[in-house]
Amino acid sequence: MASEEVFRASASERLAFADLLAGLSPEQLAAPSLCGRWDVATVGAHLGSAITTRISVFAVTLIRHRGDFDRANDATARKAAKRGTAATIETIRSNADSRFTPPGTGPRAPLTDVLVHTGDVARPLGLPHAAPDDHVRIALEFLDRPRTIGFVKPGSLDGLRFVADDLGAETGEAGGEELHGRGIDLMMAICGRSHALDDLRGPGVALLRSRLVRV
């Protein structure tokens, strides 16, 4: 898929995410997400800040946190969350067409980011998590790279093969222990969300689960 089509896919998924947030109750917004220590509202704030925060501004935050990317990212998301969910929704909707991509990643990274974080919000709330096949396929292709910093824990996928039965697509190591299931469930598992392993099958499931528990 051409870059412009990937950007359009990202815009579509961001708008869908904003609609998801808009339909949640205060209790749901305050519920834990699958994304570390963030609640649902903070995941939304992260997505909004990711497409609006200037690199120069984030660099200052990074310096303040002694070069620790995770801490700087956490601080940025929590600061944005203090503005409230209504502001988050407006930020995402107003900037859904953003063409920003983190250095060295390309347009597939932001699409993968919004797909994963949609799952971080929807899944623990018991809501359906789905996306168009071509969007999920792009994310799986992006994740099937030697270096996907920020998405995949180093070494967690060694010796594993991921088979998306609904997409007719496979990624990972040829001949590796297989995990079968929906592409979007595989995507979540690849990105370290052990919650998704319950929806997968195959000899690779137990192996990946053991690795994610140790992380």
Side-chain angles (χ1 to χ4, degrees):
M1 183 180 288
S3 293
E4 186 58 33
E5 293 177 283
V6 178
F7 283 129
R8 284 199 294 270
S10 293
S12 174
E13 294 297 339
R14 287 168 183 152
L15 291 173
F17 183 87
D19 289 344
L20 171 61
L21 283 185
L24 299 180
S25 68
E27 292 76 19
Q28 289 173 311
L29 291 168
S33 74
L34 298 184
C35 194
R37 295 173 297 170
W38 289 348
D39 60 17
V40 166
T42 306
V43 174
H46 161 71
L47 275 177
S49 63
I51 55 177
T52 56
T53 302
R54 297 192 305 275
I55 292 178
S56 59
V57 173
F58 185 76
V60 172
T61 305
L62 191 60
I63 291 170
R64 287 174 178 166
H65 289 84
R66 300 185 178 185
D68 188 319
F69 179 87
D70 290 338
R71 289 179 61 202
N73 193 38
D74 180 72
T76 300
R78 292 184 186 277
K79 180 179 179 180
K82 290 180 180 179
R83 297 175 57 223
T85 301
T88 291
I89 293 169
E90 176 58 26
T91 295
I92 295 173
R93 286 176 173 163
S94 298
N95 296 276
D97 291 324
S98 170
R99 292 325 195 236
F100 171 76
T101 60
T105 63
R108 294 182 296 174
L111 174 58
T112 304
D113 195 47
V114 67
L115 288 173
V116 172
H117 286 315
T118 298
D120 286 335
V121 166
R123 289 168 180 258
L125 295 178
L127 301 174
H129 182 210
D133 288 353
D134 54 342
H135 296 185
V136 179
R137 188 176 284 108
I138 291 167
L140 290 175
E141 291 171 354
F142 168 71
L143 294 168
D144 191 26
R145 307 191 316 169
R147 290 173 60 83
T148 46
I149 297 173
F151 287 93
V152 179
K153 299 292 184 183
S156 65
L157 308 184
D158 292 350
L160 296 176
R161 186 73 174 169
F162 299 88
V163 184
D165 299 314
D166 57 333
L167 305 179
E170 299 185 18
T171 62
E173 292 189 19
E177 297 285 332
E178 292 188 353
L179 295 87
H180 287 255
R182 292 193 309 160
I184 202 163
D185 296 327
L186 293 168
M187 177 196 71
M188 295 297 289
I190 289 170
C191 290
R193 275 53 171 188
S194 58
H195 184 283
L197 293 173
D198 293 338
D199 297 315
L200 302 177
R201 64 188 187 283
V205 172
L207 178 56
L208 181 54
R209 190 186 301 277
S210 69
R211 291 172 176 174
L212 295 182
V213 167
R214 293 197 301 270
V215 170

